[in-house]
């Protein structure tokens, strides 16, 4: 089954690409998408921007929908838990944001190595390598899940060590044990998603995620509220929904919808694992430093006076922010695919232009959501809690939420550029400096020393995000895209050297 929508020029042999020796591709003829339009000709700029926007939205639209659906699984569970009581809401928020958040960030980060490798290999026509890459990632991520399961098992003492109250820690730890199946769903899900995204096969993921979300809403109501299973019902529903996503995507892949990319299980998946682990770890460190940053915000808030109110209000804001971040992550996926495909295909100008278009688009969307928060700050808290105190606390944080949404509309896009180009290690160093040398200490200083509470902690940490965004903008602006294309070609040769293409029948 071939998905509809515009095919990218890099896959069109008639556009001037010829196979070379059966395994690599050379690019003959000129591709108009590789040309950066003259800034002196507004008509050229508009036309090229429209063409690039269509390519980006073809990937970003379904990717955004998929990300929102999958994020909503945990967010809806948290919403239902909020109607059980404040302690239940705090426990689920801590598990979702800290324990599952740690696992999600680690798995997504390690799986993001495939965005670089699969995307650049796909752009170069090395389609046969994609399935092997995905299987290598499955091996690495499932081994990682075994180690992360210890965090789930020992969640209560870990949370208490970071200052959470005994009551919240114990209930969050109990819920974490129940959520172990979700951890191993992550290990399979993210490699499959990157495998499909690199080929622009994003509509299948969107339909599967939509089905899972509809079932999740119904089952959450049935198990949590109607049957009164409480948090146990929340765990059963959330685990089941994630496995529906994984099995649906896996069925799509193995049913012949990825010809050339999926050729069945292969023992070649066990080759070159050492180097693959190193790239996966670099990707994980880059993204985990970002996910842990929000996790630390909630943990630090748990040390304040009246932690239930503070944690609940912050978690509600992070819940809303998370939905908007899913839109940015859709653009993250789109720009990563566009940059990696174009660099792999040897078209650095097209990669550069894609970065400009997607950054401007996501910035406009960020401004829209910032205004929306300001307009609804007295209304949206009622969707998440019945507590008047929590509602008032959320409203007081709305300005910080609005500014965070603006920043988080741009920052993930720049991270996507880094992944598509293979800069994970560099960005990891930037994240360490901006987040953990500037943002966290400043947040602690404002929150505790100056007694500004949750507002102070969040304000300090926003400063770290702002600094990181400016640095990534500078790095992207100064990038030599011709050199990046050459490095992509070298990377494909190194990683594809031991994998032979399947002969045509």
């Amino acid at each position: 089954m071939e998905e509809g929508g515009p095919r990218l020029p890099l896959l069109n042999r008639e556009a001037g690409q010829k196979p070379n020796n059966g395994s690599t591709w050379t690019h003959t003829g000129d591709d108009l998408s590789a040309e950066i339009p003259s800034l002196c000709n507004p008509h050229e700029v508009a036309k090229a921007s429209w063409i690039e926007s269509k390519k980006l939205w073809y990937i970003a639209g379904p990717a955004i929908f998929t990300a929102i659906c999958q994020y909503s699984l945990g967010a809806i569970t948290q919403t239902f838990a909020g109607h059980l009581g404040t302690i239940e809401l705090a426990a689920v928020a801590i598990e979702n944001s800290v324990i599952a958040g740690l696992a999600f960030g680690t798995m997504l980060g390690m799986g993001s190595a495939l965005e670089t490798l699969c995307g650049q290999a796909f752009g170069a026509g090395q389609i046969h390598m994609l399935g092997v890459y995905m299987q290598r990632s499955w091996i690495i991520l499932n081994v990682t899940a075994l180690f992360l399961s210890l965090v789930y098992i020992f969640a209560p003492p870990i949370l208490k060590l970071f200052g959470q109250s005994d009551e919240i820690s114990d209930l969050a730890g109990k819920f974490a044990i129940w959520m172990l199946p979700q951890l191993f769903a992550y290990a399979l899900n993210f490699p499959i998603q990157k495998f499909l995204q690199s080929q622009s096969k994003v509509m299948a993921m969107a339909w599967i995620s939509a089905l899972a979300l509809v079932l999740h809403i119904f089952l959450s109501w049935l198990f949590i509220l109607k049957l009164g299973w409480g948090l146990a019902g929340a765990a059963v529903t959330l685990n089941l929904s994630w496995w529906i996503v994984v099995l649906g995507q896996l069925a799509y892949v193995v049913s012949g919808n990825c010809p050339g990319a999926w050729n069945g299980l292969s023992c070649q998946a066990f080759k070159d694992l050492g180097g693959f682990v190193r790239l996966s770890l670099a990707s994980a460190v880059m993204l985990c430093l970002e996910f842990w940053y929000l996790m630390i915000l909630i943990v630090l808030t748990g040390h304040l006076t009246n932690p239930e109110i503070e944690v609940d209000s912050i978690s509600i804001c992070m819940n809303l922010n998370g939905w908007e971040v899913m839109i940015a992550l859709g653009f993250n996926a789109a720009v990563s695919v566009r940059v990696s495909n174009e660099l792999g295909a040897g078209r650095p100008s097209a990669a550069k232009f894609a970065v400009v278009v997607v950054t401007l688009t996501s910035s406009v969307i960020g401004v829209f959501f910032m205004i929306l928060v300001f307009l609804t700050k007295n209304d949206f808290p009622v969707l998440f809690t019945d507590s008047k105190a929590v509602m008032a606390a959320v409203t007081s944080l709305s300005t910080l939420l609005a500014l965070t949404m603006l920043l988080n509309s741009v920052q993930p896009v720049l991270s996507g550029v880094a992944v598509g180009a293979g800069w994970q290690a560099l960005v990891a160093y930037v994240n360490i400096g901006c987040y953990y040398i500037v943002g966290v200490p400043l947040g602690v200083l404002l929150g505790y020393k100056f007694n500004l509470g949750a507002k102070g902690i969040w304000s300090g940490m926003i400063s770290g995000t702002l600094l990181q965004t400016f640095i990534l903008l500078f790095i992207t602006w100064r990038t030599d895209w011709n050199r990046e294309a050459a490095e992509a070609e070298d990377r494909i040769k190194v990683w594809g050297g031991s994998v032979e293409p399947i002969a045509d029948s």
Side-chain angles (χ1 to χ4, degrees):
M1 180 174 63
E2 197 69 34
E3 296 193 30
R7 290 178 63 87
L8 302 183
L10 60 92
L11 290 180
N12 191 342
R13 297 190 184 192
E14 287 74 23
Q17 298 182 17
K18 299 179 181 179
N20 180 25
N21 298 328
S23 61
T24 60
W25 288 74
T26 56
H27 307 282
T28 62
D30 293 327
D31 179 1
L32 292 179
S33 70
E35 299 292 335
I36 294 182
S38 171
L39 296 179
C40 299
N41 191 327
H43 178 71
E44 286 185 11
V45 173
K47 181 179 178 181
S49 298
W50 174 247
I51 293 172
E52 182 60 39
S53 292
K54 288 193 294 184
K55 293 178 182 179
L56 288 168
W57 276 105
Y58 175 64
I59 303 170
I64 289 169
F65 183 76
T66 299
I68 290 175
C69 287
Q70 294 185 4
Y71 175 80
S72 297
L73 298 178
I76 287 171
T77 298
Q78 188 170 314
T79 300
F80 275 97
H83 294 282
L84 295 174
T86 57
I87 185 65
E88 286 83 0
L89 173 58
V92 173
I94 289 291
E95 194 282 332
N96 267 339
S97 302
V98 180
I99 307 302
L102 170 66
F104 186 96
T106 302
M107 296 299 185
L108 176 60
M110 297 190 76
S112 292
L114 293 186
E115 291 191 64
T116 304
L117 297 173
C118 285
Q120 294 183 359
F122 187 72
Q126 298 271 10
I127 311 299
H128 64 281
M129 293 156 50
L130 272 61
V132 175
Y133 287 161
M134 180 172 65
Q135 292 172 60
R136 288 176 184 170
S137 191
W138 279 343
I139 294 169
I140 294 168
L141 265 65
N142 275 284
V143 172
T144 303
L146 290 174
F147 287 102
L148 286 175
S149 64
L150 297 176
V151 177
Y152 282 64
I153 295 170
F154 296 103
I158 292 174
L159 293 173
K160 292 174 184 176
L161 179 65
F162 284 99
Q164 293 298 317
S165 68
D166 290 350
E167 189 176 12
I168 293 176
S169 297
D170 290 338
L171 190 56
K174 185 177 181 180
F175 188 67
I177 294 292
W178 293 341
M179 292 309 302
L180 277 170
Q182 181 193 52
L183 171 63
F184 289 91
Y186 287 162
L188 294 177
N189 176 66
F190 293 120
I192 299 174
Q193 284 196 342
K194 305 309 177 186
F195 169 85
L196 292 173
Q197 284 175 0
S198 68
Q199 305 168 70
S200 299
K201 293 182 178 292
V202 286
M203 282 304 300
M205 294 192 302
W207 283 111
I208 292 167
S209 298
L211 174 62
L213 178 60
V214 171
L215 290 174
H216 183 73
I217 294 171
F218 171 73
L219 294 176
S220 294
W221 168 81
L222 178 64
F223 291 148
I224 299 174
L225 299 182
K226 183 68 174 178
L227 298 180
W229 289 12
L231 292 187
V236 169
T237 304
L238 192 51
N239 284 320
L240 180 60
S241 298
W242 268 102
W243 275 100
I244 289 173
V245 170
V246 171
L247 295 177
Q249 292 175 157
L250 187 60
Y252 176 82
V253 171
V254 302
S255 297
N257 295 294
C258 303
W262 174 257
N263 298 299
L265 298 174
S266 171
C267 61
Q268 301 216 29
F270 294 92
K271 295 183 179 180
D272 301 324
L273 281 178
F276 207 92
V277 168
R278 288 192 292 273
L279 182 59
S280 296
L281 288 175
S283 300
V285 169
M286 186 193 91
L287 286 183
C288 281
L289 290 172
E290 297 176 5
F291 276 93
W292 292 345
Y293 198 49
L294 295 179
M295 179 185 75
I296 289 172
L297 172 59
I298 294 180
V299 171
L300 290 175
T301 304
H303 289 272
L304 298 171
T305 305
N306 198 359
E308 283 187 27
I309 299 297
E310 300 283 8
V311 170
D312 284 356
S313 60
I314 283 287
S315 67
I316 288 172
C317 289
M318 290 299 100
N319 197 336
L320 277 176
N321 179 66
W323 268 314
E324 193 264 349
V325 167
M326 293 305 105
I327 297 176
L329 288 180
F331 284 109
N332 171 289
V335 75
S336 177
V337 170
R338 293 290 298 125
V339 168
S340 60
N341 282 179
E342 296 292 7
L343 290 179
R347 292 194 289 264
S349 296
K352 180 178 181 179
F353 192 66
V355 171
V356 173
V357 172
V358 74
T359 301
L360 292 175
T361 303
S362 62
S363 298
V364 171
I365 292 175
V367 171
F368 169 77
F369 279 103
M370 179 179 68
I371 295 172
L372 186 62
V373 169
F374 282 130
L375 294 177
T376 62
K377 63 181 180 180
N378 295 316
D379 301 314
F380 70 77
V382 72
L383 299 174
F384 299 90
T385 182
D386 297 324
S387 169
K388 298 293 185 183
V390 175
M391 290 181 194
V394 172
T395 298
S396 70
L397 293 171
S398 60
T399 299
L400 292 174
L401 174 60
L403 293 175
T404 300
M405 283 189 165
L406 177 60
L407 285 176
N408 283 345
S409 67
V410 178
Q411 185 274 334
V413 169
L414 298 175
S415 293
V417 175
V419 171
W423 306 336
Q424 289 94 326
L426 172 62
V427 177
Y429 287 116
V430 173
N431 289 350
I432 289 173
C434 296
Y435 289 161
Y436 299 95
I437 296 179
V438 176
V440 171
L442 185 57
V444 171
L445 182 66
L446 294 175
Y448 294 98
K449 182 67 174 180
F450 291 95
N451 297 316
L452 296 178
K455 287 184 179 179
I457 296 173
W458 199 350
S459 297
M461 297 181 75
I462 283 179
S463 67
T465 304
L466 181 63
L467 177 62
Q468 185 239 27
T469 301
F470 280 129
I471 291 176
L472 291 183
L473 281 170
F474 179 77
I475 292 173
T476 303
W477 176 56
R478 294 296 303 272
T479 295
D480 182 343
W481 291 99
N482 291 316
R483 185 181 67 183
E484 295 299 328
E487 290 181 0
E489 182 179 358
D490 293 340
R491 186 179 293 115
I492 292 167
K493 291 178 181 178
V494 170
W495 288 96
S498 64
V499 182
E500 295 297 328
I502 301 297
D504 293 336
S505 56

